[in-house]
Amino acid sequence: MTRMITIFDTTLRDGEQSPGASMNVEEKLSIARQLARLGVDVIEAGFAFSSPGDFEAIRMIAHEVEGPVICSLARAKPGDVDRAWEALKGGAKVRIHTFISTSDIHLKHQFRLTRAEALDRAVEMVGRARGYVDDVEFSPMDATRSEETYLCEVLEAVIAAGARTVNIPDTVGYATPHEFTQLIRTIQERVPNIRQAVISVHCHNDLGLSTANSLGAVLAGAGQVECTINGIGERAGNAALEEVVMALRTRQDVFGADTRIVTEEIAKTSRLVSKITGMSVQPNKAIVGANAFAHESGIHQDGLLKEKMTYEIMRPESVGAGKTHIVLGKHSGRHAFKQKLEELGYRPSDAELDKAFERLKRLADQKKEIFEEDLETIVSEEMDRSEEAYRLVSIHVESGTDMTPTAKIELEAGDKTVSAVGQGDGPVDAAYRTIASLTQTKSRLVSYVVKGITGGTDALGEVSVTVEEDGRSAMGHGADTDIIIASVRAYLNALNKLAARASKRGGGEPKVGLI
Ligand code: KIV
Ligand code: ZN
């Protein structure tokens, strides 16, 4: 019989702990909606106590996203548990996930608690969380470096206190598959009430073993796997959802287990997370890398033409990476456009739809075929424009082998239109320097990444940038068939985010760096 494994996605919490991957409330909400379409069972939407932004994101996701259970992380402290509940209450299906370390290394050097004190805290906080909600998860942090007898005692006590899921984190990615599988077996043998809870696993990828460890745990009887899209997360990241899910689906003969994931949504979810976090996916990344289904060798291509099974263990379409469909053209109407966007999961306002439709028409003049990815790029950019301090009116750039690249930029800033001419080392540099002088920004450009969205020289190019000012960074994205215009859109998008945050500042305390 095939067992169903619960997929607990922590892209919005552990994934957000990737350096530079912080997301605003709107971005988190759009990822959460996509995770619901992907069919994850649980979304860990954030860490309510850590910042007002996380609190608000959890609150909105709990109220607006239907389907998955929505979860908040909480340290084993009364204030954290109460804050998690504040954010979650009113949501249809919610979970509090509380944790404390159980390894001597952490207890002695970081928490300065004895084993007995940590156990008491864990039990007390699970009880407190159960006072709010039935669905409570507990994690003994750094479980894989904890003394086994003590770990089992803690698990028994928190299950008796009402934890319905006990999660075993390999916090520092230290365990090997054999050890981790064995640990899950030991827990099943030595924790007398273990059948009253689901065993979950949460593996980090410091040694590149997170997927193998998670799958080993499933073989040993774990019922929940915690993972992130594209494997993002603290340091080297977490087990990648797409790898765990596709391994279970493809090798059911080995695992006897499957998930409820709608695998055809995987590629789209990966693109969205990559775009919002600015973390590109390496081309050879399993399942979602650009080369994951590309066959280069002549021998492989020959085999594939004769029979796909020769070199293909999964169909690209099964993860949504097959040939993308041409969806609309020059003559498509606004209604068809709106309908297609709804099918793709976007719900723009009328004004956003008008702007996106205008851009679609312009794009259709420049580009023969419009693909789903093009639509997603245009609409998400237009939906991202809510609080714009600066808007691009026009750009004119000249560059060549025998001249200094020069840019003329016209911007709308509030009710004024301003323009300037500037020079730089290349056309993008000239444009960025001109914008910097017009906006008087003191920010620094930290990263600049360009990629083609669909194939061909007429493809939309997408630029992602990160800018930093006073220790705060913002990501910006821009797309256009002209790479210089895409670069300018991305830079302005990032500056607009910094400006929006600066104007909101005052109530916004920084995130608490805890884990
Ligand atoms: O890696 C870890 O231990 C965690 C816990 C909070 C579950 O992220
Ligand atoms: Zn973690």
Short mmCIF file of all heavy atoms in Angstrom, two decimals, residues 25-86:
data_model
loop_
_atom_site.label_atom_id
_atom_site.label_comp_id
_atom_site.label_asym_id
_atom_site.label_seq_id
_atom_site.Cartn_x
_atom_site.Cartn_y
_atom_site.Cartn_z
N VAL A 25 5.41 41.29 2.29
CA VAL A 25 4.15 40.57 2.55
C VAL A 25 3.49 40.13 1.24
O VAL A 25 3.05 38.99 1.10
CB VAL A 25 3.19 41.48 3.37
CG1 VAL A 25 1.85 40.81 3.56
CG2 VAL A 25 3.82 41.81 4.72
N GLU A 26 3.44 41.04 0.25
CA GLU A 26 2.81 40.70 -1.04
C GLU A 26 3.53 39.54 -1.70
O GLU A 26 2.90 38.64 -2.28
CB GLU A 26 2.87 41.92 -1.98
CG GLU A 26 1.73 42.90 -1.78
CD GLU A 26 0.38 42.21 -1.85
OE1 GLU A 26 0.16 41.41 -2.77
OE2 GLU A 26 -0.45 42.44 -0.94
N GLU A 27 4.86 39.56 -1.65
CA GLU A 27 5.64 38.49 -2.29
C GLU A 27 5.38 37.16 -1.60
O GLU A 27 5.20 36.12 -2.25
CB GLU A 27 7.14 38.84 -2.25
CG GLU A 27 7.49 40.00 -3.17
CD GLU A 27 8.90 40.57 -2.95
OE1 GLU A 27 9.47 40.42 -1.85
OE2 GLU A 27 9.41 41.20 -3.88
N LYS A 28 5.31 37.21 -0.27
CA LYS A 28 5.03 35.96 0.47
C LYS A 28 3.64 35.43 0.13
O LYS A 28 3.44 34.24 -0.04
CB LYS A 28 5.13 36.21 1.97
CG LYS A 28 6.56 36.27 2.47
CD LYS A 28 6.59 36.15 3.98
CE LYS A 28 7.96 35.72 4.43
NZ LYS A 28 7.99 35.30 5.83
N LEU A 29 2.71 36.36 0.01
CA LEU A 29 1.34 35.95 -0.30
C LEU A 29 1.28 35.31 -1.68
O LEU A 29 0.60 34.29 -1.88
CB LEU A 29 0.43 37.18 -0.22
CG LEU A 29 -1.06 36.96 -0.11
CD1 LEU A 29 -1.41 36.07 1.07
CD2 LEU A 29 -1.78 38.31 0.04
N SER A 30 2.00 35.87 -2.64
CA SER A 30 1.90 35.26 -3.97
C SER A 30 2.59 33.90 -4.01
O SER A 30 2.12 32.98 -4.67
CB SER A 30 2.35 36.22 -5.08
OG SER A 30 3.73 36.29 -5.12
N ILE A 31 3.68 33.73 -3.25
CA ILE A 31 4.29 32.39 -3.19
C ILE A 31 3.34 31.42 -2.48
O ILE A 31 3.15 30.28 -2.92
CB ILE A 31 5.67 32.44 -2.50
CG1 ILE A 31 6.66 33.18 -3.39
CG2 ILE A 31 6.19 31.02 -2.19
CD1 ILE A 31 8.08 33.24 -2.87
N ALA A 32 2.71 31.89 -1.39
CA ALA A 32 1.80 31.00 -0.65
C ALA A 32 0.65 30.53 -1.55
O ALA A 32 0.25 29.36 -1.51
CB ALA A 32 1.27 31.71 0.58
N ARG A 33 0.12 31.46 -2.37
CA ARG A 33 -0.99 31.05 -3.27
C ARG A 33 -0.50 29.98 -4.24
O ARG A 33 -1.20 29.02 -4.53
CB ARG A 33 -1.50 32.27 -4.05
CG ARG A 33 -2.27 33.24 -3.19
CD ARG A 33 -3.23 34.08 -4.04
NE ARG A 33 -3.99 34.95 -3.17
CZ ARG A 33 -3.74 36.25 -3.00
NH1 ARG A 33 -2.77 36.83 -3.68
NH2 ARG A 33 -4.47 36.96 -2.17
N GLN A 34 0.72 30.15 -4.74
CA GLN A 34 1.26 29.17 -5.68
C GLN A 34 1.54 27.83 -4.97
O GLN A 34 1.32 26.77 -5.53
CB GLN A 34 2.51 29.73 -6.37
CG GLN A 34 3.18 28.78 -7.34
CD GLN A 34 2.25 28.26 -8.43
OE1 GLN A 34 1.27 28.92 -8.81
NE2 GLN A 34 2.50 27.04 -8.90
N LEU A 35 1.99 27.90 -3.71
CA LEU A 35 2.23 26.65 -2.96
C LEU A 35 0.91 25.90 -2.77
O LEU A 35 0.88 24.66 -2.79
CB LEU A 35 2.86 26.95 -1.59
CG LEU A 35 4.31 27.45 -1.61
CD1 LEU A 35 4.75 27.90 -0.22
CD2 LEU A 35 5.25 26.36 -2.13
N ALA A 36 -0.16 26.66 -2.60
CA ALA A 36 -1.49 26.00 -2.46
C ALA A 36 -1.85 25.32 -3.77
O ALA A 36 -2.35 24.18 -3.77
CB ALA A 36 -2.54 27.03 -2.06
N ARG A 37 -1.58 25.98 -4.90
CA ARG A 37 -1.86 25.33 -6.20
C ARG A 37 -0.97 24.10 -6.39
O ARG A 37 -1.36 23.12 -7.00
CB ARG A 37 -1.65 26.31 -7.36
CG ARG A 37 -2.76 27.33 -7.51
CD ARG A 37 -2.63 28.11 -8.80
NE ARG A 37 -1.55 29.06 -8.74
CZ ARG A 37 -1.65 30.30 -8.28
NH1 ARG A 37 -2.82 30.74 -7.84
NH2 ARG A 37 -0.61 31.11 -8.25
N LEU A 38 0.22 24.17 -5.87
CA LEU A 38 1.15 23.04 -5.98
C LEU A 38 0.67 21.86 -5.14
O LEU A 38 1.07 20.72 -5.38
CB LEU A 38 2.54 23.52 -5.51
CG LEU A 38 3.68 22.53 -5.48
CD1 LEU A 38 4.06 22.07 -6.90
CD2 LEU A 38 4.93 23.15 -4.83
N GLY A 39 -0.16 22.16 -4.15
CA GLY A 39 -0.75 21.07 -3.36
C GLY A 39 0.05 20.69 -2.12
O GLY A 39 -0.08 19.56 -1.64
N VAL A 40 0.87 21.62 -1.58
CA VAL A 40 1.58 21.26 -0.34
C VAL A 40 0.56 21.11 0.79
O VAL A 40 -0.50 21.73 0.76
CB VAL A 40 2.68 22.30 0.04
CG1 VAL A 40 3.64 22.53 -1.11
CG2 VAL A 40 2.08 23.61 0.51
N ASP A 41 0.89 20.29 1.78
CA ASP A 41 -0.06 20.05 2.88
C ASP A 41 0.04 21.14 3.94
O ASP A 41 -0.95 21.51 4.55
CB ASP A 41 0.22 18.69 3.52
CG ASP A 41 0.08 17.57 2.51
OD1 ASP A 41 -1.07 17.28 2.14
OD2 ASP A 41 1.11 17.03 2.06
N VAL A 42 1.27 21.61 4.20
CA VAL A 42 1.48 22.62 5.25
C VAL A 42 2.39 23.71 4.69
O VAL A 42 3.38 23.40 4.01
CB VAL A 42 2.16 22.01 6.50
CG1 VAL A 42 2.25 23.04 7.63
CG2 VAL A 42 1.46 20.75 6.98
N ILE A 43 2.04 24.97 4.97
CA ILE A 43 2.93 26.09 4.62
C ILE A 43 3.41 26.71 5.92
O ILE A 43 2.59 27.22 6.71
CB ILE A 43 2.17 27.18 3.81
CG1 ILE A 43 1.71 26.64 2.46
CG2 ILE A 43 3.05 28.43 3.63
CD1 ILE A 43 0.88 27.64 1.64
N GLU A 44 4.72 26.67 6.16
CA GLU A 44 5.25 27.43 7.30
C GLU A 44 5.45 28.85 6.77
O GLU A 44 6.38 29.13 6.00
CB GLU A 44 6.56 26.83 7.81
CG GLU A 44 7.01 27.51 9.10
CD GLU A 44 8.07 26.68 9.85
OE1 GLU A 44 9.10 26.33 9.25
OE2 GLU A 44 7.84 26.40 11.04
N ALA A 45 4.55 29.75 7.18
CA ALA A 45 4.49 31.07 6.53
C ALA A 45 5.47 32.05 7.14
O ALA A 45 5.68 33.14 6.59
CB ALA A 45 3.07 31.60 6.62
N GLY A 46 6.08 31.73 8.26
CA GLY A 46 7.04 32.65 8.85
C GLY A 46 7.19 32.39 10.34
O GLY A 46 6.79 31.33 10.85
N PHE A 47 7.72 33.38 10.99
CA PHE A 47 8.09 33.30 12.40
C PHE A 47 7.49 34.56 13.02
O PHE A 47 8.09 35.62 12.98
CB PHE A 47 9.62 33.27 12.42
CG PHE A 47 10.28 33.18 13.75
CD1 PHE A 47 9.60 33.10 14.94
CD2 PHE A 47 11.68 33.16 13.80
CE1 PHE A 47 10.26 33.01 16.13
CE2 PHE A 47 12.34 33.07 14.99
CZ PHE A 47 11.63 33.00 16.17
N ALA A 48 6.25 34.43 13.52
CA ALA A 48 5.45 35.62 13.85
C ALA A 48 6.16 36.60 14.76
O ALA A 48 6.05 37.81 14.60
CB ALA A 48 4.13 35.18 14.48
N PHE A 49 6.92 36.09 15.74
CA PHE A 49 7.54 36.99 16.72
C PHE A 49 8.70 37.79 16.12
O PHE A 49 9.06 38.84 16.64
CB PHE A 49 8.05 36.17 17.92
CG PHE A 49 8.50 37.00 19.08
CD1 PHE A 49 7.57 37.43 20.04
CD2 PHE A 49 9.82 37.38 19.23
CE1 PHE A 49 7.98 38.22 21.12
CE2 PHE A 49 10.23 38.16 20.30
CZ PHE A 49 9.31 38.58 21.25
N SER A 50 9.25 37.29 15.01
CA SER A 50 10.53 37.85 14.55
C SER A 50 10.43 39.25 13.99
O SER A 50 11.39 40.01 14.07
CB SER A 50 11.19 36.92 13.54
OG SER A 50 10.48 36.96 12.33
N SER A 51 9.31 39.62 13.38
CA SER A 51 9.19 40.99 12.85
C SER A 51 7.72 41.28 12.54
O SER A 51 6.94 40.35 12.28
CB SER A 51 10.02 41.14 11.57
OG SER A 51 9.37 40.47 10.51
N PRO A 52 7.35 42.56 12.51
CA PRO A 52 5.96 42.89 12.15
C PRO A 52 5.61 42.41 10.74
O PRO A 52 4.49 42.00 10.48
CB PRO A 52 5.94 44.43 12.22
CG PRO A 52 7.09 44.79 13.09
CD PRO A 52 8.14 43.74 12.88
N GLY A 53 6.59 42.42 9.84
CA GLY A 53 6.35 41.96 8.47
C GLY A 53 6.01 40.48 8.43
O GLY A 53 5.08 40.06 7.73
N ASP A 54 6.76 39.68 9.19
CA ASP A 54 6.46 38.25 9.23
C ASP A 54 5.09 38.00 9.84
O ASP A 54 4.31 37.18 9.36
CB ASP A 54 7.53 37.50 10.08
CG ASP A 54 8.45 36.68 9.20
OD1 ASP A 54 8.69 37.11 8.06
OD2 ASP A 54 8.93 35.62 9.65
N PHE A 55 4.79 38.73 10.91
CA PHE A 55 3.50 38.59 11.58
C PHE A 55 2.37 38.84 10.57
O PHE A 55 1.43 38.06 10.45
CB PHE A 55 3.41 39.59 12.74
CG PHE A 55 2.10 39.53 13.47
CD1 PHE A 55 1.92 38.66 14.54
CD2 PHE A 55 1.03 40.33 13.07
CE1 PHE A 55 0.71 38.59 15.21
CE2 PHE A 55 -0.18 40.26 13.73
CZ PHE A 55 -0.35 39.40 14.80
N GLU A 56 2.48 39.95 9.84
CA GLU A 56 1.43 40.33 8.90
C GLU A 56 1.30 39.31 7.77
O GLU A 56 0.20 38.98 7.33
CB GLU A 56 1.75 41.73 8.36
CG GLU A 56 0.67 42.39 7.53
CD GLU A 56 -0.71 42.39 8.17
OE1 GLU A 56 -0.84 42.23 9.40
OE2 GLU A 56 -1.69 42.51 7.40
N ALA A 57 2.46 38.81 7.30
CA ALA A 57 2.42 37.83 6.21
C ALA A 57 1.69 36.57 6.68
O ALA A 57 0.84 36.02 5.97
CB ALA A 57 3.83 37.49 5.74
N ILE A 58 2.01 36.11 7.89
CA ILE A 58 1.35 34.90 8.41
C ILE A 58 -0.15 35.15 8.55
O ILE A 58 -0.99 34.32 8.16
CB ILE A 58 1.96 34.49 9.78
CG1 ILE A 58 3.44 34.14 9.60
CG2 ILE A 58 1.20 33.32 10.39
CD1 ILE A 58 4.22 34.04 10.92
N ARG A 59 -0.48 36.32 9.08
CA ARG A 59 -1.90 36.64 9.30
C ARG A 59 -2.66 36.62 7.96
O ARG A 59 -3.71 36.00 7.82
CB ARG A 59 -2.02 38.01 9.96
CG ARG A 59 -3.33 38.23 10.71
CD ARG A 59 -3.43 39.67 11.21
NE ARG A 59 -3.43 40.62 10.12
CZ ARG A 59 -4.47 40.86 9.32
NH1 ARG A 59 -5.59 40.21 9.50
NH2 ARG A 59 -4.37 41.73 8.34
N MET A 60 -2.08 37.28 6.96
CA MET A 60 -2.78 37.35 5.68
C MET A 60 -2.87 35.98 5.02
O MET A 60 -3.90 35.61 4.46
CB MET A 60 -2.08 38.33 4.75
CG MET A 60 -2.39 39.75 5.17
SD MET A 60 -1.74 40.95 4.03
CE MET A 60 -2.80 40.74 2.63
N ILE A 61 -1.77 35.23 5.08
CA ILE A 61 -1.77 33.90 4.44
C ILE A 61 -2.79 33.00 5.14
O ILE A 61 -3.57 32.29 4.50
CB ILE A 61 -0.34 33.30 4.43
CG1 ILE A 61 0.56 34.12 3.51
CG2 ILE A 61 -0.37 31.83 4.01
CD1 ILE A 61 2.04 33.81 3.60
N ALA A 62 -2.82 33.05 6.49
CA ALA A 62 -3.77 32.21 7.23
C ALA A 62 -5.21 32.55 6.86
O ALA A 62 -6.09 31.68 6.82
CB ALA A 62 -3.55 32.37 8.73
N HIS A 63 -5.46 33.84 6.57
CA HIS A 63 -6.83 34.24 6.26
C HIS A 63 -7.18 34.06 4.79
O HIS A 63 -8.33 33.84 4.44
CB HIS A 63 -7.06 35.70 6.66
CG HIS A 63 -7.26 35.86 8.13
ND1 HIS A 63 -6.21 35.96 9.00
CD2 HIS A 63 -8.38 35.87 8.88
CE1 HIS A 63 -6.68 36.05 10.24
NE2 HIS A 63 -8.00 35.99 10.20
N GLU A 64 -6.18 34.17 3.92
CA GLU A 64 -6.53 34.23 2.49
C GLU A 64 -6.20 33.00 1.69
O GLU A 64 -6.72 32.84 0.59
CB GLU A 64 -5.82 35.44 1.86
CG GLU A 64 -6.41 36.73 2.38
CD GLU A 64 -5.87 37.95 1.64
OE1 GLU A 64 -5.39 37.79 0.51
OE2 GLU A 64 -5.96 39.04 2.23
N VAL A 65 -5.27 32.17 2.17
CA VAL A 65 -4.86 31.04 1.32
C VAL A 65 -5.59 29.77 1.76
O VAL A 65 -5.48 29.34 2.91
CB VAL A 65 -3.33 30.85 1.38
CG1 VAL A 65 -2.89 29.64 0.58
CG2 VAL A 65 -2.64 32.11 0.86
N GLU A 66 -6.36 29.23 0.81
CA GLU A 66 -7.18 28.05 1.14
C GLU A 66 -6.47 26.77 0.77
O GLU A 66 -5.74 26.72 -0.22
CB GLU A 66 -8.50 28.11 0.36
CG GLU A 66 -9.44 29.12 0.95
CD GLU A 66 -10.66 29.31 0.08
OE1 GLU A 66 -10.98 28.39 -0.70
OE2 GLU A 66 -11.26 30.39 0.19
N GLY A 67 -6.70 25.73 1.52
CA GLY A 67 -6.15 24.41 1.19
C GLY A 67 -5.17 23.94 2.26
O GLY A 67 -5.53 23.16 3.14
N PRO A 68 -3.92 24.41 2.21
CA PRO A 68 -2.94 23.90 3.17
C PRO A 68 -3.17 24.39 4.60
O PRO A 68 -3.83 25.41 4.81
CB PRO A 68 -1.60 24.47 2.67
CG PRO A 68 -1.87 25.04 1.32
CD PRO A 68 -3.32 25.35 1.24
N VAL A 69 -2.58 23.66 5.55
CA VAL A 69 -2.52 24.14 6.93
C VAL A 69 -1.48 25.26 6.95
O VAL A 69 -0.43 25.14 6.32
CB VAL A 69 -2.02 22.99 7.85
CG1 VAL A 69 -1.72 23.49 9.25
CG2 VAL A 69 -3.03 21.85 7.86
N ILE A 70 -1.76 26.35 7.65
CA ILE A 70 -0.80 27.46 7.72
C ILE A 70 -0.16 27.46 9.11
O ILE A 70 -0.86 27.37 10.13
CB ILE A 70 -1.48 28.83 7.44
CG1 ILE A 70 -2.30 28.78 6.15
CG2 ILE A 70 -0.43 29.95 7.41
CD1 ILE A 70 -1.55 28.42 4.89
N CYS A 71 1.17 27.57 9.12
CA CYS A 71 1.91 27.36 10.36
C CYS A 71 2.81 28.56 10.66
O CYS A 71 3.33 29.20 9.75
CB CYS A 71 2.74 26.10 10.13
SG CYS A 71 3.94 25.74 11.38
N SER A 72 2.98 28.85 11.96
CA SER A 72 3.99 29.84 12.36
C SER A 72 4.99 29.15 13.27
O SER A 72 4.62 28.36 14.14
CB SER A 72 3.36 31.00 13.12
OG SER A 72 4.40 31.80 13.69
N LEU A 73 6.25 29.52 13.11
CA LEU A 73 7.29 29.03 14.01
C LEU A 73 7.27 29.87 15.28
O LEU A 73 6.88 31.05 15.25
CB LEU A 73 8.66 29.17 13.31
CG LEU A 73 9.84 28.57 14.07
CD1 LEU A 73 9.75 27.05 14.14
CD2 LEU A 73 11.17 28.96 13.41
N ALA A 74 7.66 29.27 16.40
CA ALA A 74 7.73 30.00 17.68
C ALA A 74 8.82 29.36 18.54
O ALA A 74 8.84 28.13 18.66
CB ALA A 74 6.39 29.90 18.40
N ARG A 75 9.73 30.17 19.09
CA ARG A 75 10.65 29.59 20.07
C ARG A 75 9.84 29.10 21.27
O ARG A 75 8.69 29.55 21.45
CB ARG A 75 11.64 30.66 20.55
CG ARG A 75 12.64 31.08 19.51
CD ARG A 75 13.43 32.28 19.97
NE ARG A 75 12.55 33.41 20.24
CZ ARG A 75 12.95 34.59 20.68
NH1 ARG A 75 14.22 34.81 20.92
NH2 ARG A 75 12.09 35.56 20.88
N ALA A 76 10.44 28.24 22.09
CA ALA A 76 9.71 27.75 23.26
C ALA A 76 9.73 28.84 24.34
O ALA A 76 10.42 28.73 25.35
CB ALA A 76 10.33 26.45 23.76
N LYS A 77 9.00 29.91 24.04
CA LYS A 77 8.88 31.04 24.97
C LYS A 77 7.44 31.50 24.92
O LYS A 77 6.85 31.56 23.82
CB LYS A 77 9.76 32.21 24.50
CG LYS A 77 11.25 31.97 24.60
CD LYS A 77 12.00 33.23 24.21
CE LYS A 77 13.45 33.08 24.61
NZ LYS A 77 14.11 34.34 24.76
N PRO A 78 6.88 31.89 26.07
CA PRO A 78 5.46 32.26 26.07
C PRO A 78 5.13 33.36 25.05
O PRO A 78 4.14 33.25 24.31
CB PRO A 78 5.23 32.76 27.51
CG PRO A 78 6.33 32.15 28.32
CD PRO A 78 7.49 31.92 27.41
N GLY A 79 5.97 34.40 24.99
CA GLY A 79 5.69 35.52 24.07
C GLY A 79 5.66 35.07 22.62
O GLY A 79 4.84 35.55 21.82
N ASP A 80 6.53 34.13 22.27
CA ASP A 80 6.57 33.64 20.88
C ASP A 80 5.32 32.84 20.54
O ASP A 80 4.73 32.99 19.47
CB ASP A 80 7.78 32.70 20.69
CG ASP A 80 9.05 33.45 20.34
OD1 ASP A 80 9.28 34.51 20.94
OD2 ASP A 80 9.78 32.98 19.45
N VAL A 81 4.94 31.95 21.49
CA VAL A 81 3.78 31.09 21.23
C VAL A 81 2.52 31.96 21.12
O VAL A 81 1.69 31.79 20.21
CB VAL A 81 3.65 30.02 22.34
CG1 VAL A 81 2.35 29.23 22.20
CG2 VAL A 81 4.85 29.08 22.32
N ASP A 82 2.41 32.95 22.02
CA ASP A 82 1.23 33.82 22.00
C ASP A 82 1.17 34.62 20.69
O ASP A 82 0.11 34.80 20.09
CB ASP A 82 1.26 34.79 23.18
CG ASP A 82 1.18 34.05 24.52
OD1 ASP A 82 0.93 32.83 24.51
OD2 ASP A 82 1.39 34.70 25.57
N ARG A 83 2.33 35.09 20.25
CA ARG A 83 2.38 35.91 19.03
C ARG A 83 2.04 35.05 17.81
O ARG A 83 1.36 35.50 16.89
CB ARG A 83 3.80 36.47 18.90
CG ARG A 83 3.97 37.52 17.85
CD ARG A 83 3.50 38.88 18.31
NE ARG A 83 3.78 39.88 17.29
CZ ARG A 83 2.95 40.83 16.93
NH1 ARG A 83 1.79 40.97 17.52
NH2 ARG A 83 3.27 41.70 16.00
N ALA A 84 2.50 33.79 17.82
CA ALA A 84 2.18 32.89 16.71
C ALA A 84 0.65 32.73 16.64
O ALA A 84 0.04 32.81 15.57
CB ALA A 84 2.86 31.53 16.91
N TRP A 85 0.04 32.53 17.80
CA TRP A 85 -1.41 32.35 17.82
C TRP A 85 -2.14 33.62 17.35
O TRP A 85 -3.10 33.56 16.59
CB TRP A 85 -1.89 31.92 19.21
CG TRP A 85 -3.39 31.85 19.27
CD1 TRP A 85 -4.22 32.62 20.02
CD2 TRP A 85 -4.23 30.99 18.48
NE1 TRP A 85 -5.53 32.29 19.77
CE2 TRP A 85 -5.56 31.30 18.83
CE3 TRP A 85 -3.98 30.01 17.53
CZ2 TRP A 85 -6.65 30.65 18.25
CZ3 TRP A 85 -5.07 29.36 16.95
CH2 TRP A 85 -6.38 29.68 17.31
N GLU A 86 -1.64 34.78 17.81
CA GLU A 86 -2.23 36.06 17.38
C GLU A 86 -2.29 36.14 15.86
O GLU A 86 -3.25 36.61 15.28
CB GLU A 86 -1.34 37.22 17.84
CG GLU A 86 -1.59 37.69 19.25
CD GLU A 86 -2.92 38.38 19.35
OE1 GLU A 86 -3.10 39.40 18.64
OE2 GLU A 86 -3.79 37.89 20.09
#
